[in-house]
Amino acid sequence: MAKTALITGASQGIGAAIGKKLASDGFNIAVNCYSEREVENGGNQVVEACRSCGVEAECFIGDVSNFDSCAEMVKAVKARFGTIDVLVNNAGITKDGLLARMSEAQFDAVAAVNFKGVFNMTRHVSGVMMRQRSGHIINITSVAGLYGNPGQFNYSATKAGVVGMTLTAAKELGPRNITVNAVAPGFIETPMTDVLTDEQKAAALSSVPLGRFGKPEEIAAAVAFLASDAAGYISGQVIVVDGAMSM
Ligand code: NAP
């Protein structure tokens, strides 16, 4: 039976690339979209691209920041595909600003999606995986969570929190044959980074020894490795994919 991968925030950017890569590796794909708008503005195209690889794929609407919404989504994916073998916690947002001017709303919004969202999804999917006695969970963190980044107090805090959740989940779920790892991208060309000014992009680029920004497919490749049998003995790790930017 084909294995199933559930990817959050998969209608565009890194999540879409992960969905397509895992489909080409033979996984059935559950494409989580935040709302009907994302289904129409990208989710359906991702599903079609996955199906063209010969696997089954479908969009599942759900808000990762909402505990009950995640429970319903996980139930629906399990009912549709029978198993959940890979969970990729990819959904994320930014609401950048210097600490001195950051509002409580800016902090809470980012914490709800990037931090609590990982708890919500992992909490529900880990139950399925524990009963299966197998699974791979891959969390998308960021180099900002490892090294900090001015203007991203909220974002870097949530991404550091994701590393903590990754390490603890690896220890708790390891005895049930579940691996838990994180991938920490540097600067990747997606809608999230498109909004930065040319000045901000030039500043970021000057700190990348490889001399270019990363592509979503380069993050997807690392995720696909961690989701594969070849990575069965790797757990509790954070793989940095940043063109040596944070070295
Ligand atoms: P993106 O293009 O903005 O994609 C993020 C996706 O998450 C969007 O589809 C977004 O939907 C979705 N999402 C937001 N809130 C959600 C919610 N409550 N429930 C479900 N889905 C939700 O960003 P990306 O660059 O691909 O980022 C993907 C992940 O990589 C994020 O965790 C990000 O922090 C991380 N990352 C990115 C970079 C980079 O340079 N791009 C670097 C380091 C880490 P909407 O469009 O509706 O908001």
Side-chain angles (χ1 to χ4, degrees):
M1 195 168 78
K3 292 183 173 178
T4 299
L6 164 55
I7 303 132
T8 65
S11 66
Q12 62 178 37
I14 292 170
I18 293 169
K20 293 176 204 169
K21 171 63 179 153
L22 292 181
S24 75
D25 288 348
F27 286 89
N28 290 330
I29 304 296
V31 176
N32 161 241
C33 296
Y34 179 46
S35 69
E36 191 60 49
R37 190 174 64 95
E38 276 69 47
V39 173
E40 284 159 19
N41 291 347
N44 283 334
Q45 285 145 282
V46 176
V47 162
E48 284 314 313
C50 293
R51 287 179 182 165
S52 72
C53 297
V55 301
E56 293 177 46
E58 200 169 303
C59 288
F60 292 84
I61 293 174
D63 175 359
V64 300
S65 70
N66 182 302
F67 190 78
D68 294 339
S69 172
C70 292
E72 279 171 33
M73 183 178 20
V74 170
K75 207 170 146 190
V77 173
K78 175 85 167 61
R80 170 67 177 82
F81 294 111
T83 65
I84 304 177
D85 304 283
V86 173
L87 167 67
V88 184
N89 283 309
N90 167 79
I93 61 170
T94 52
K95 290 204 182 289
D96 294 351
L98 291 173
L99 172 61
R101 280 184 296 225
M102 184 168 288
S103 69
E104 186 181 9
Q106 261 174 301
F107 187 90
D108 288 348
V110 173
V113 177
N114 298 10
F115 182 61
K116 184 153 180 253
V118 174
F119 162 69
N120 288 341
M121 289 302 298
T122 306
R123 169 72 175 78
H124 296 301
V125 172
S126 62
V128 175
M129 290 180 169
M130 283 196 283
R131 284 189 289 279
Q132 288 172 185
R133 294 197 167 263
S134 67
H136 300 294
I137 298 172
I138 300 140
N139 297 324
I140 307 300
T141 175
S142 167
V143 292
L146 302 175
Y147 302 101
N149 193 26
Q152 290 196 310
F153 185 90
N154 50 359
Y155 182 81
S156 55
T158 63
K159 293 300 187 180
V162 168
V163 172
M165 289 192 276
T166 302
L167 303 182
T168 295
K171 288 185 175 178
E172 286 193 17
L173 303 177
R176 299 294 184 104
N177 192 31
I178 299 164
T179 69
V180 188
N181 292 290
V183 172
F187 193 107
I188 311 299
E189 288 171 348
T190 71
M192 182 179 273
T193 47
D194 274 354
V195 297
L196 299 178
T197 64
D198 288 346
E199 270 178 9
Q200 287 171 314
K201 287 181 186 175
L205 188 57
S206 68
S207 64
V208 182
L210 278 181
R212 65 174 178 85
F213 296 136
K215 299 182 194 323
E217 291 72 22
E218 292 172 313
I219 304 304
V223 170
F225 171 63
L226 292 171
S228 72
D229 291 342
Y233 201 55
I234 299 174
S235 195
Q237 300 303 306
V238 181
I239 297 186
V240 175
V241 183
D242 71 345
M245 183 174 85
S246 58
M247 210 172 57

